[in-house]
Amino acid sequence: MKSTGIMMEVAGPWAEVFEGSEGTESPGRAETLLGSSTLTLAPLVAESPSVRRSQPILITSNRVKGVQSFSSSVPSSIPNPFPELCSPSKSPVLISSLPPPSSDKHLIKVFGEDSHSRSVWVSRGATAREVCHLLVQTAHCSDQENWALLELHPTLGLERCLEDHEVVREVQATWSLKGDTRLVFCKNYAKYEFFRKPMLFFPESMISDSADVSKGMTSSQLIQNLLKSGTCPEIQGFLQVKEPSRKAWKKVYFFLRRSGLYCSTKGSSKEPRHLQYVADLDELNVYTVVNSRKLYGAPADFTFCIKPSKNPVRTQDLKILCADSEQTRTCWTSAFRLFKYGKQLQCNYQLSKSAPRSLEGTKFPDGKSKSEASLVAMDFSGKAGGRVIQNPTEAQSAEREEGQAWRRREALRCSLPNLNSAARPSSIHKTQPWFHGGVSRKEAQRLIEKQGLVDGMFLIRESQQHAQCFVLSLCSKLKTKHYLVIPCEDGGRKYFTMDDGVTLFIDLLQLVEFHQINKGILPVCLKHPCVCVAL
């Protein structure tokens, strides 16, 4: 029987097919006539290849396998072109820099002195020396010596230089998770300076009377012998100590011995009944306190503190002490380190002197780096074109002559009287690492102290009190002194002087180079430029 209407078939798996006016029904099927339309339930038959009308297609299992094979050909990990946009919030780690899950590496975040940070992967047993070497290579530092990791607690104003043999992971394990403690990569020229100049760090007035000086041995010989054996003379003297839970400071006489730190309950008496045990040196760390007057109401700026080394930093655990001079504070902190680490510091000192030669691939035997060795000196004075200068002495001489000629030309241009100040080009000193712009006197002292109070540490800054003048800040005998650099004119040209015109310099670069060789009016020659380390 044929139907003249429209037949709609619904079958399982349920599909709807609308066909034309021709359709054949099989006997025995249930039919429901609705007007001129017929609704029939029947199994879906997809075996007719002649069907060209649009209809749902059943995805077979073979097609699913095909999709899987296609997806398997795609790389499992596609490099992320914008990792900084997909990294976790406030995370210094880029997704592409993550090590494999099986890697036995630990991520540490180190800050530079410009507040920028760098994250590096190190082994879990990496020491401070190894991390410094890694950062030197990663940051392409120009030299390998005198680098250090500084443990900084900004809120409490505490900082200390990690010893070269300390494991960085173990140090970080003692930090509070909610604190702002950080590691800072910086220069520290004074880390082992007491081995070179012991009498400057251990004055005779602070050496304990119990030290054996009566066997025909001077104090200088005694100190040198003790340092070579990995120990330190007993130190004594008055220190101001902050009383717990009070703002008051009390003057107490302290003794630092191999067995620990003691204080006298009766003046400067050393009798055992008057000595009170304060701390065990093996279980504490010594920190320098920054901005101690404001944070703790200290009577002077020469403040340091001791705290348990295995506990997170808490204010109630700090024992804050204040000395009367920088030399006194340096003596106490150096003695703490020597008594605690002993011969280990002597080993660290010897390794620090040989470290630049032990780094493979960083420097060549003549002291040049890879980048410098890839350059050659050229001479273009002849008419036939340039030639390569093979003689090293001739190459160095040509380099000096070219630099001096360039500086003379620039100095002449800057000092011509017919040029106003607005037309003069920027001075060359602004590109030098020892120039720190308009930092204040206090900040200059802070920068020098941070990188080590060693003789010859210096920087140049703009004067905040005298227009167009500069200030040379120089460290000598653990003190920072400041010298005014005044501009003057002679013969229509501009010069700089520090001795009322007796010695004239065409620019600050010539002034620095001169005083690196000659002391002049300075107490010591300029030796170590105070630089700002950027990562």
Side-chain angles (χ1 to χ4, degrees), residues 145-376:
E145 301 178 76
N146 303 306
W147 294 102
L149 285 181
L150 197 71
E151 180 185 354
L152 182 63
H153 302 263
T155 303
L156 298 175
L158 307 181
E159 64 181 31
R160 78 174 181 100
C161 180
L162 266 63
E163 303 297 346
D164 288 345
H165 66 275
E166 287 190 84
V167 179
V168 178
R169 182 71 184 95
E170 295 178 358
V171 174
Q172 290 183 320
T174 63
W175 296 355
S176 174
L177 297 178
K178 298 181 180 180
D180 55 354
T181 310
R182 61 179 63 178
L183 292 174
V184 179
F185 180 59
C186 63
K187 283 281 191 179
N188 190 334
Y189 293 93
K191 188 189 297 186
Y192 304 113
E193 190 69 9
F194 50 77
F195 286 115
R196 306 182 185 98
K197 300 178 180 179
M199 291 307 299
L200 181 61
F201 285 78
F202 302 102
E204 294 186 20
S205 59
M206 295 187 61
I207 298 177
S208 175
D209 297 338
S210 61
D212 189 6
V213 193
S214 61
K215 294 182 179 180
M217 189 181 299
T218 63
S219 298
S220 176
Q221 292 173 342
L222 172 67
I223 295 174
Q224 291 179 358
N225 289 340
L226 289 173
L227 292 180
K228 288 180 181 178
S229 62
T231 183
C232 175
E234 295 183 3
I235 303 299
Q236 63 182 12
F238 280 104
L239 291 172
Q240 299 269 9
V241 59
K242 188 177 186 300
E243 298 185 1
S245 305
R246 296 182 60 185
K247 295 183 178 180
W249 289 74
K250 184 179 180 180
K251 198 170 185 179
V252 181
Y253 204 81
F254 283 90
F255 300 90
L256 185 60
R257 300 174 177 176
R258 188 190 303 271
S259 56
L261 178 66
Y262 301 85
C263 68
S264 177
T265 58
K266 185 178 181 181
S268 57
S269 175
K270 299 179 181 179
E271 296 184 18
R273 60 194 179 98
H274 295 151
L275 292 183
Q276 181 179 354
Y277 184 75
V278 178
D280 183 5
L281 302 184
D282 294 333
E283 299 178 356
L284 58 84
N285 286 327
V286 58
Y287 293 80
T288 301
V289 182
V290 183
N291 200 14
S292 57
R293 289 180 182 268
K294 180 179 180 180
L295 293 176
Y296 302 101
D301 293 324
F302 316 111
T303 312
F304 64 99
C305 83
I306 54 177
K307 84 160 193 73
S309 57
K310 297 183 180 180
N311 298 336
V313 178
R314 298 183 302 176
T315 307
Q316 57 267 30
D317 296 333
L318 303 180
K319 192 166 193 65
I320 305 176
L321 307 169
C322 183
D324 57 357
S325 67
E326 180 61 41
Q327 186 181 31
T328 305
R329 176 172 70 169
T330 305
C331 178
W332 281 100
T333 55
S334 302
F336 268 105
R337 294 172 58 202
L338 282 167
F339 275 129
K340 179 177 181 179
Y341 297 111
K343 291 185 178 181
Q344 182 66 55
L345 284 188
Q346 182 74 22
C347 296
N348 293 347
Y349 172 55
Q350 298 299 332
L351 286 174
S352 68
K353 294 192 296 183
S354 60
R357 293 188 293 272
S358 64
L359 289 176
E360 298 182 1
T362 55
K363 283 196 175 183
F364 289 90
D366 59 355
K368 290 185 177 181
S369 62
K370 287 183 178 180
S371 59
E372 292 175 345
S374 62
L375 304 177
V376 294

Side-chain angles (χ1 to χ4, degrees), residues 48-67:
S48 176
S50 61
V51 179
R52 297 180 181 179
R53 292 178 294 275
S54 176
Q55 57 183 344
I57 300 176
L58 178 64
I59 299 178
T60 61
S61 59
N62 292 336
R63 185 173 179 85
V64 175
K65 293 181 180 179
V67 174

Side-chain angles (χ1 to χ4, degrees), residues 108 139 144 181 319 350-351 404 413 452 457 461 467-468 520:
I108 63 171
Q144 319 290 332
T181 310
K319 192 166 193 65
Q350 298 299 332
L351 286 174
Q404 292 173 359
R413 289 178 55 195
M457 173 74 69
R461 56 188 174 87
Q468 299 182 352

Side-chain angles (χ1 to χ4, degrees), residues 455-470:
D455 290 351
M457 173 74 69
F458 75 98
L459 63 83
I460 293 182
R461 56 188 174 87
E462 297 174 353
S463 175
Q464 295 184 332
Q465 297 181 354
H466 306 277
Q468 299 182 352
C469 294
F470 298 89

